[in-house]
Structures are given as structure tokens and as C-alpha cells.
Amino acid sequence: MNKAFLPLFYLIWSDDLLTQKEFETVRDFISKQDWISPDDKKRLLSEVDVSNPPTRELLSNWKTAIHETLKQNPKVTSLYELSTILSGKETAFSEARNSFLQLESELGILGEEVLSGFRSVQDSLTSKYDTAYGFDVSKMTEILDSDEAMIIKRVKEIISRKEFAYETTTDIAKYREKVLQWCKILADENLGNMAFPKEYGGGGNMKEYFSIMETLSFHDLSLVIKFGVQFGLWGMSVYFLGTQKHHEKYLKKIGTLEIPGCFAMTETHHGSNVKGLRTTATYNHSSQTFSIHTPSKNDQKEYIGNAAKHGQMATVFAKLIIDGKDYGVNAFIVPIRNADMTTVDGVTIDDCGHKMGLNGVDNGTIRFDNVTIPKENMLDRFASVNENGAFESPIPSDDRRFFTMLGTLVGGRIGIPRSGLSAMKSGLTIAIRYSDRRRQFGPEGGSEVPILNYRMHQRRLMPYLAKSYALHFALRYLTDRFLKRTENEMQEIEALAAGMKAYTTWTVRDGLQECREAMGGKGYLSENRIDALKNDTEIYTTFEGDNTVLMQLVAKNRLSVFRKEFGKLDVAGMITYVFENAKTAVAEKNPIITRRTDEAHLLDVDFHLQAFQYREKTILASAARRLKKLIDSGMDAYDAFNVTQHQMIDVATAYLERVILEQFQKSIIATEDVACKKRLEQLRNLFALYQIEVHKGWYLEDGYMENAKTKAIRKLVNQLCWDIRIDAVPLVDAFAIPENCLGAEILKG
Amino acid sequence: MNKAFLPLFYLIWSDDLLTQKEFETVRDFISKQDWISPDDKKRLLSEVDVSNPPTRELLSNWKTAIHETLKQNPKVTSLYELSTILSGKETAFSEARNSFLQLESELGILGEEVLSGFRSVQDSLTSKYDTAYGFDVSKMTEILDSDEAMIIKRVKEIISRKEFAYETTTDIAKYREKVLQWCKILADENLGNMAFPKEYGGGGNMKEYFSIMETLSFHDLSLVIKFGVQFGLWGMSVYFLGTQKHHEKYLKKIGTLEIPGCFAMTETHHGSNVKGLRTTATYNHSSQTFSIHTPSKNDQKEYIGNAAKHGQMATVFAKLIIDGKDYGVNAFIVPIRNADMTTVDGVTIDDCGHKMGLNGVDNGTIRFDNVTIPKENMLDRFASVNENGAFESPIPSDDRRFFTMLGTLVGGRIGIPRSGLSAMKSGLTIAIRYSDRRRQFGPEGGSEVPILNYRMHQRRLMPYLAKSYALHFALRYLTDRFLKRTENEMQEIEALAAGMKAYTTWTVRDGLQECREAMGGKGYLSENRIDALKNDTEIYTTFEGDNTVLMQLVAKNRLSVFRKEFGKLDVAGMITYVFENAKTAVAEKNPIITRRTDEAHLLDVDFHLQAFQYREKTILASAARRLKKLIDSGMDAYDAFNVTQHQMIDVATAYLERVILEQFQKSIIATEDVACKKRLEQLRNLFALYQIEVHKGWYLEDGYMENAKTKAIRKLVNQLCWDIRIDAVPLVDAFAIPENCLGAEILKG
């Protein structure tokens, strides 16, 4: 009979969730059992005496006895059943069934769970699961690279050369020189000037320039940013804001890196609000020159890449002053260093010093003390000073002219998210491959399990894998729109670029954070590169426009579009608007459908698209109404926009997510390979449902979904993470990042 | 009459949201107006000809005319009204009212908004708002420091000395030496041995040891971790796992830093699953020694602080083997370096190299090739090998013994979140003070506005300010519970510590991220310290237990408590349980209350506490049910836990948030100063409502709240952020972080 208590006794002495209190519970129980003889009671009680523990051997014998019994009775399903068998099926014990079950309850143990712990489980679902190669990885790579495959391949070949071995020094002076050398190699390969016109030695191919930025971003990100400053910002500002005389004089030398240069827009006190720049360019009639001047310390140019060390010239943005009159911000080419690399008279350059990341880029501050430049140095595509010293421009409004100038430079807001996405792809490749190999924990008695088999681990990484695919296609779409833009589309495309820049770089920030944590200590060692990927891309959320500010811009654009499109509509029209292009959305508000939870429905891309569209339109209309209401109530428009700032982020997010999902779906439709298509569909499903889950508070608040539905979606997201895990390694393999670029020690050998 | 169109014309030429398409709209409109004479039409049309823009002067004249008119007619409230006045109140124009309003609509402009843009607004709500000092900052500091004020003051005095000037080198060798020197100063000040018994030169004061860790964390975090490794991990492991002979031999020398040492638990392949450690300590009967051995490369000790450079000895965790039999993981003191700092024979140490942060700590790997140590080096408080070479222990279960050993070291899970919270306080102080000074954008014609006046900026920082206060009190509570612990409370306290470690360090991660972004480029420069704060604390989410794993432990503990407490209950009892201590919760499910949106109710702490408790209990009961259901359905328990991992995080989070809110409220009740109390209440309200907003999806899904309520809560969160902004600077001032420790360049001068 004694043996019936073995499992309980074993548990109480070994389970670390049971405390001393439970010894009392068991002792009480034994004392109260009438069917146990006084002698047996005494013996039993002595075995649960906290001051007199069994020997380690005895405990071990108990365990062996339990194991043996379970081996001989594989069909046992409850702790009580096990105990009954151990008791030799003693009648008295059998009769004590209820009180025994009650004891189990009071101890807070779940018999079936305990039993499963006693068994050696070699083949649990979790431990059996593993990576499979169910589709052709190279086909998937083809789908991703599409018509950019050739240039991508060429760039990969270059950054895989031994000269591109990573620099690991912490000496930023050395690092900066290395990055400059790399840039020179790329210039020599005619990659830097890819977007410049052919007549100035360039490739005349803007599309390939973006592919280059993206592919370079599998390598060192300081290199990418230095490259972008030189050829994208400095070069393109001369190209887009200047005229033929500037192109002839500078473009070739910029493309060969003979003239390293800067893009000097941001000032210490004016970053996002560039309209408020304070540097001045004062026209001198007599000498036909401009004096470039920094009024005070806070007006110095700051964070300027290429400034601290290598830059010789700069495109400087400054307010043009003629005869004391301010003509708004214009751009000027200003030499900052002489041939011997000393600074030009009147120019003061300081080093921004060590940064969180991108330490291979020499950011600096620049101050001008009435530095004189010739009149022809004004980049005069949009405005000029004529022979009589009078201002001329085809765009009469200073603000509008400046925004038009900025509009020509929107390419940066395409290059940066594409670069950031590459960094996230690198991080995901490292983290997913590592998690597929690294084993820890496992079923009792079984071997350890790849950590990627754990549901939380999947929950951390799979949604970002899905997002990386989603964003890949959306950024290709953005690029395409930009390359084929017409005048009338410019505002939409500028807003889309601003939004995609913000949305992507925030996603990259979060995705790399998950990669870091998912890799534990290994993710903290610089040798595994998550460090650099994270810290280098950290500033992506700030430069080329602070994300929060950009999202406000996107929202303002959406509001403007909304008002223009629906200026004619009344309230009824507004409602129609919300449901336009989402014809079944009205039906969705039908209780039967707001509650629909079957997989066929939840995995239907039309359902996803409708849900995204509905959210986009409802939020937009609601923000417009709120703003109008506040202003109508007498609130200053500036204050009203401030009050609704938070809502504006939602307006922009909902819009961007709809675009991303739409483009993902379009790419899937165009995919022919069946196996690849299936994986892309799964990723799209995860992207869509994960975002709906993120916004479930909104959907429930709105009534578009009921709780049964949001609960079903959560379950399905978990299931999709589990399903995609099997393909996760081939899915990151498809990014086809050169092994030497991944560079993580943990993946070697 | 012409003049009536000035505002529209000005807009169309200057507003960057209006495109070429809108020129057509205006031209169409003009053409269709019968009341305009053909000549006027012609003139008007010529002014909206996209190929023939007005001169800059003309545009400027239009603007002046509009401004003047508005100045003379301050009561004008609509664009139409303005145009009417400009038209000289021409009848024909007046009659065109409807079509003019229609045109406004079609252009997508909101008259009132445009008008507000034309006016120079000097005193908008947003620009007038500013920091106020409405409470006594030093009183608030007293409330925070409480009975630890003396030791906090002493530590602050020490870290403010000139020897503690920050080290800015990127040379990690130099940095490590500097950190060692700092540690020596602290040892000389008797801070390191504060928790050691007085008979070994210590202060016998564990409570003050925690205060020291917390206060040091206002300074360099490498210093804190090095300090923690030496005195907390190495010292405390000898103290808690060893016996008198070890204390006598080592404690004094550890406290003076005469013996720098390591805590060698983690192995390359066993971090979270320490039970699976593979290093062995084999007993040799003849020589009465142990051989410490690393079976393979993946079993080496990794990330060990103090190992790469300075450590002379280590507490090594290894499986004890006697006569080929495994007795589970035990701890041993192993010399790793000789007096001349060469490594001991058989010991191989490698450097972990550069890390994302904490580069002042010399982390390394250690491998043992049958290193012999004398028998007395086994830390034998919980297990020993007797004179006959037999294993002895008062705890028969190997697992339970090991977890008991780990339990003595739980102090690390108190020290780390307190350290992390200090880092977040530093970050918030820097970011909030900066945002209070830094101005950008502003109303048209007005001066620029402190960025902390922007709602999104407040949304980013105020919730973390509230959380830093909430966590401050909760961590004090945790410390107090730990210091006064009884045997029966240990499991609860261990779980609470694990959970608070995870919850706090995740909050710190997110809070510092917001600080970084809120400071834009300034947050990226190392000179402003956000860099170091972020990267140093990044690993806090991993070490002392991976957060995700810890949250699972917390959930398991909660499930066990739940089962024990409610083993006796049936379904009805379960429901009662959910509502226990939340008596009005049943009433809450009453539609009138689920919809209640008045401020009095929403700001009522009882409502907050009930909502938190309700969530905690509902989630816990639901997870328990789900787990049981899965196991009952035949799923292996190990798989079932995997399937519910995601839910377990919620179980733990809901529990922790309830504890945090409860402790915040208790501290408020104990606060006497009226002005401080009022601020603490506001912070508590923000903490509570912000978390409810974060979880609104859950509350709506559950039906505990209806949409009117969650919407009202969002509005109130915005309002609280706005209200608290006025006190934000004094609220971070109250953290009383020494200026030299803040060390951010941006705050100087």
C-alpha cells in the first residue's frame, strides 16, 4: 500500500513549486485516512517529515519504481491510476479515489501533467519539428531580385572581395579611412555615379542606383551612408538643384570621388523644420558674390556626413538675402577645404565625435564666417539672381519653391528604407539560422530542442520575416512609382516615400531588437554583428526626416486628398466613401460576419484587404471630422493639429499598411512557381493577420470585429508562426546574402 | 471684385498640398461664374495660369493685402467672409456664396484652417505652455529615497568626485582598467562588502547594498556590472553557498578586491537551462580532490565577467560526479589565475571581445582541462562529500537542491532591475530637460515652441516618466519583501523578483528607445550618453535570466498558486475567484458601468485596481483552463506548455502590473505632502490608464469595457500627458541625479 504514495512523495521532495506548506497538506491527508492502519500512517508520515528528508538514494529508488511501473503500464493516464497500480490495486486505496483526487487538487498539481513529466518523451511534437526545404530557394531569390538581379549580383561580387573584409577596429579614425577606401573602390567600379547622366560619366540609371544602395547594405552600413552622402546627397543635389554649368564642372569629379562633398542642410536648431534654417547667403552686388554666414552657434550645420574629415565642398542650404530682403532657402556650392585639406578661410569644422553607430562616417559641424563664393555657385535650377542683381524664379512662393527643391531629393527616402530593410534581412538571417541550430531545454528525458521550435521564439521572429517580405515588395513598388512619376503624382509619391521611410525604419528597429534578444548573449557580442546592424540603423528613424514628423506629413497629405476627393460629398457620401472599394464591408458589419471565425474566411486575402481598407478610410474620415470640429469650435489650427497628432500617426499607419498589403498581394498574383507562391501566401497571411491582431483594439472598438473573431485570429497567428517556422531557414536563405557579409561568428563552422 | 480671389490665388500658388490639378479646378470655376464679366474672367484666368506664374513680388503683395484685411477685420471666421470683404462686399460675389464654398470643398481646403494660417498667432495654447514648479522637488526626492537617503547621498558624493570623470576612450583595454580602478575606490570605501557579515569586514547590510547598486547606476554601467560581479555574484556565491571555512578564507579578501573573482555558471550551450550544465567536477577518492573539466567547446563557461582580464578565482558550477554517478550541479571555488596573472595550468581563458555595451567589463570564456582543486573548495552549504567519499545533502532531490542554491542568489534579480531603472531615470532626465529647452516649429508667424509641448512628444515620454515612478516604488517593495522573507514566502518572492526583473528591464529598453528618438540626432551622439545607457542596459533583458524564460517561470508559479488555492473549488468557485477582491467587478459587467466614461470614474484608483485585478485573474484562470484542456485531450504536457507560451507572458504581465499599481497606490497613501501627493496621483493615473489603453484589445474582447469607455480612456491619457508635461522637469529633477553623472553635453551651459 505504501507504494501508492510514491509519486506524491517523490513530487513533494523534488518539485520546486511545492513548498513546506504542502508537506502539511499531505500529512493532514494521511492522518485523516481511516483506511490506513496506525502503523502504516506512522511510516508514511515519517516519509513526509520536512526535518527528516529521505536519502538521495531512496528518492532515486522511488523515481525508478515509478518509471518502471509506467513502462509496464503505458496506458496509464492519471496520477491516481498510477498510484492504484503501485498500491497493488489495493481495495482500500481504490475506495479513497475521491479524497486522493481532492489532495491532488489541493497540492495544485495536475495529474496528467505530472505523469507526462515522469515519462521519458522522445517524440513530443515540439522536439520532432524541424526545418524542411519545401521550395526552390533560388527561385524565391529570383522572385525577390526580379529585373534587378544583374546589378545585385555585380554588387554582391564586389563586396565579397577580400578588400571588403570587415573592419573591427574601435579606432574611429582608422575606420573612417577604411570606409573612404571602400567608397573609392565602388567609385572605380562606376557604382557611385550610376544615377548621374551618361554625359558626365554616369550610368544614367537611377533604378540601379537604388539596387546598389540596397545590396551594399548587406555589408557595412557606414559604407552605405558615406556612399549615400557622396553620390546621393552631394551628387544629386548638384544634379537636381543645379544647372548645366554645375553638372559640367562637378558631376564627373563627384562620381569618381575626386571631390568628396557634403550635404549641409540640417542646423543645430533646425532639423525637421528646415524651412526655419538661419544660415544666410547675402548677395553682394558689386562683386557679384554671395557671403555665406552662420549667425550664431545654434545655426551651425550639424551632423554633416563627410564634413569632419574628407569633404572638400558642400551643398549649403541658406536663406538668400538681397538688399536686406529674405528670399527663402536656396542652395549653394561652398568649398570647405583646400587642396591640402586645411579648412577654407572663414570655415570652422568640428567633429561630431563618437556616435551610437555609423562611426565609419565622419559627421561634423560647419560654421561659416562670411565666406565668399562666386555667383555661379548658386544652384540655380529653381531660382537665381539675374544680371541686375534681382531675384528670379518660376515659383513665386518661397515655401513652395523650397518644397519643390526638397521634392527632387526624395530619392533619399527610398534609399534609406531599402537600406534598412537589407539590415533587417541580415539580422533575421543570422537570428533564424542560429535559432534553428541552437538547442535548449526539451521534454523530460528527451534531448534538447532547437529554440526556434518554441512558440514565443517563433512569435518574436516570424512576424518580422513576414514583414521583411511584405516591405520588400512595397519598397520595389515605391521605387517604381518614383521612377515613373509624373508631375501630378509627385505629392502622393513624396508622401508615400516619407511614410514608407518611417514605417520601414521603425519596423527595422523593432525587428532587429527581436533578433538581438532572440539570440541572447550571442546577440550582444559584436562578433555576431547584430550590434552593428542595430546601432547603425538606429538613426535611420531620425535622418532623412524624423519618423514622427514624416508620419504627420503623410497624414496631412491624406487629409488633403480626402478633402479634395470628397469636397462634394455630404454625410451620406462620406459613409459611402468609407465602404467604397470594400463592397462587402457593409456586409461585414453584419453580426454573422463580424463573428465569422472559420479558417477559409480568415485566410482569405479579400477579407484582409477589406479589413485594411476599412480601417484606413474610417480612421482618415474620423481624423478629418475631429480636426474640423476642433477648428469649428474656435481652436487655432496649429493647436488643433497638435491635439490630433496621435491620431495622425494612425492615419498614416493605416494608409501605409493598406498599400503594403496590396502590393504584397500583387506580387503574389504575378508569381508562377507554385511552391514559392504558397510560401508567399503564408507570409502574406501572417503579415495581414498579425497587423489585425496588433490593431484588434481598434477593430473591436469600431465593431468591425467581435471578440470570437479576434480570438480566432490570435490562434491563427500562432499557428501561422508555427507553420512558417519549417520554412524559415530557406526563406532567409532566399535573401541570398553573401556569407562573408553576414559575418556572424556564430554561423561559422 | 478681383480682390475677392486673392486668398484663393495666394493659396494655390503657395500651398504645397495643392497640385496642378487644382489650377484646373479654379479655372473651371471662374469660367462658369456668370456674374463675372468676360474681361474680369480673362484677367482672373491669367492669374491662375500655371505656365505664367505671378512674380514673387505680386504674390507677396497679395499676402500683405490679406494680412491687412484680417488685421482690420479681426472677427472674420471664414475664408468666404474674408473674400467678401476683399471684394468690397460686392453683391454679385455675395450671391455666389454657395458655389464659392463648393469650390473650397473641391480644393480640399478648410476655410477656418487656412484663415488661421494667415493670421500671425503669437499666443496659441501650444506655444504658451511651459514648465512650472508647483511642488517642492526636494520633498519629492525625500519621498523617493525614503530611509535609504543617507547611503544614497554617500554614494552620490563618491561618484561625483573628479576620479569618477567618465572614461570616453574606445580602447576597451584602457576602459577595463579604469573600471577596475573605480571598483577599487568603492572597495576602499567599504561599499563592495556592504552585504557581507561584519565579522569579515563587511557592513552586514543587504538593504544598503541594493541602494548602492541603484545609485552607482547613475554613473557608468560597466562599473555597476563589474562591481556586481565581484561583490554580488562572486562574493555572495561564496557567502551563500559556502560555509564558515570559505567565509573565513575568502570573504574579507573579496570585499577588499584583493581577490577579483568570477561567477562561472553560464555555458555556451546552457544559459537559461542551467540544470543542463555539462562541466564536471569529478571526485578523486585517493587524493580527496575534484577534477574540474569541460567536456567540449560548447560546454565552456561563457560571458563570464571579470574572466578575460582580472579574475583570479571563480565560483564554478559543475555536475558533481562520484564513482561515475551524477549528483547534479554544485558549486566549487576554482583558481583560474596565478599571482603573476598567468592562467592556472589546465585553464584556458578567451576574451569575449567587443560587445554592444558594457565594454568596461572583461567578459571571457573559461575552459577547464581536468583542473584539480582540493576537496574543501566545494561550496558545501547544501551538499558535500563526506570523509568516506559519499555524497551528503539535506535536500535529496538534485533538481530541488540546485534550485534552492539558485534561490539564495535571487538578489541579482533585484539589483539588476534597480540598476536598469536608474539608467532609465538618467535617460528621462536628459531627454525631458532637453525637450523642454529645444524649440522647433511653431504657429505661423509665432516663435518656435519647446518640443515637449507637442502631443506626440509627450505621448513618447510621459508614460515612461509615470512608469519610472511606478517601478521605483514596486522595486522598493520587492526589496523589502526579499529582506524580510520567510521560508514559506520564498517561491512567491523568487517569482516576483524574476518577473520584476523582466518587466522592468523591458520597460527600460523601451523607455530609453523613446528617449533616443525624442532627442533626434542629439540622442545619437555618444556625448549625450543615451548611447551608453541604451547599449549597456540592452543585455539586462538577457542576463540574470532571459526575460521570456523568466516570464514563463512567473506564469508557472502563478498557475501553481492558482491550483493550490482553488483546488477545492468547482466552476462556480472559479467565477467567484475571478471577482474576489474586486467586489464591484460584477457590477462592472453591467452595461451602464462598462460604458461609464465620466472623469470621476476613470480617474478613480479603485476602478484602476479592479480593472487590473480582474484582468490578472481572468487571464490566469483562462490559461489554467486551456492548459488542462490541452493535456486532457492527450497532448504531452511539454507540448502543451509550448502551445500556451504566448498566453503565459500575459499571465505574468497582468500579475506584475497589478502588483506595481497596488504598491504605487500604497506609497501614495503614505505620502503626506499635498503637492507631491497630487503629482504622484497624476502619475499613477497615467500609469494605470496607459496600461489599460495598451490592453484595450483584451478589455474589449472580454467585454469588461465597451468602446465608449476605451475611447474616453485614450482621450484621458492624452490629457494626462499634457497635464504632467508641466511638471515633467521638476519630476525628473526629483530623481536628483548628480549633474556630473548625467554627463550629457547637451545639458551643459
Side-chain angles (χ1 to χ4, degrees), chain A residues 149-159 161 189-191 194 208:
Chain A
M150 287 293 290
I151 182 72
I152 290 174
K153 197 177 153 208
R154 209 183 129 219
V155 175
K156 282 185 186 168
E157 181 273 312
I158 293 169
I159 56 177
R161 292 182 197 162
E189 292 282 348
N190 278 308
L191 294 181
M194 184 59 81
E208 294 208 342

Side-chain angles (χ1 to χ4, degrees), chain A residues 486-706:
Chain A
T486 64
E487 183 67 30
N488 268 330
E489 293 173 323
M490 267 313 284
Q491 286 173 355
E492 182 208 341
I493 292 168
E494 279 174 33
L496 183 63
M500 286 300 298
K501 183 270 183 186
Y503 191 89
T504 305
T505 57
W506 268 335
T507 305
V508 170
R509 171 198 70 183
D510 295 339
L512 287 171
Q513 182 66 38
E514 294 297 354
C515 291
R516 208 301 290 154
E517 291 184 42
M519 290 178 64
K522 288 291 178 197
Y524 200 60
L525 300 180
S526 300
E527 64 178 31
N528 292 321
R529 277 193 77 235
I530 301 293
D531 169 8
L533 292 168
K534 240 180 85 59
N535 281 324
D536 289 346
T537 54
E538 172 66 42
I539 198 65
Y540 282 35
T541 62
T542 298
F543 68 16
E544 278 290 341
D546 174 86
N547 280 2
T548 306
V549 175
L550 292 184
M551 292 295 262
Q552 306 291 327
L553 290 185
V554 176
K556 282 192 184 176
N557 178 272
R558 299 313 299 164
L559 284 170
S560 163
V561 170
F562 172 82
R563 289 187 193 145
K564 284 178 203 169
E565 281 182 31
F566 302 95
K568 291 178 188 169
L569 301 177
D570 51 13
V571 175
M574 288 273 207
I575 292 169
T576 315
Y577 161 74
V578 167
F579 294 103
E580 184 227 25
N581 289 330
K583 282 167 197 146
T584 60
V586 182
E588 280 281 328
K589 281 252 191 179
N590 173 322
I592 295 166
I593 301 184
T594 53
R595 293 173 192 161
R596 228 182 120 178
T597 60
D598 56 295
E599 258 192 37
H601 170 65
L602 295 181
L603 295 180
D604 180 356
V605 67
D606 288 333
F607 158 60
H608 304 157
L609 282 168
Q610 283 159 17
F612 276 51
Q613 277 170 4
Y614 175 80
R615 179 172 143 80
E616 177 193 6
K617 297 190 165 189
T618 309
I619 288 184
L620 178 55
S622 144
R625 273 196 304 273
R626 174 126 189 267
L627 206 51
K628 186 164 182 343
K629 208 172 132 190
L630 288 171
I631 293 171
D632 283 352
S633 77
M635 188 181 276
D636 179 62
Y638 170 73
D639 285 327
F641 270 108
N642 194 18
V643 168
T644 55
Q645 266 195 338
H646 189 232
Q647 218 169 340
M648 293 301 160
I649 301 280
D650 291 340
V651 167
T653 304
Y655 159 66
L656 294 163
E657 289 181 346
R658 188 265 301 161
V659 172
I660 294 166
L661 180 63
E662 238 171 42
Q663 294 310 316
F664 199 166
Q665 176 57 9
K666 278 193 184 156
S667 302
I668 290 173
I669 290 170
T671 300
E672 285 168 13
D673 183 274
V674 178
C676 287
K677 191 169 189 153
K678 188 187 147 199
R679 268 69 188 184
L680 292 174
E681 282 168 346
Q682 273 189 316
L683 291 166
R684 181 209 61 212
N685 287 339
L686 179 57
F687 169 72
L689 292 176
Y690 183 82
Q691 291 313 121
I692 292 176
E693 194 194 20
V694 166
H695 303 306
K696 79 172 177 184
W698 185 86
Y699 282 109
L700 287 162
E701 210 171 54
D702 175 84
Y704 187 77
M705 294 187 193
E706 292 198 11

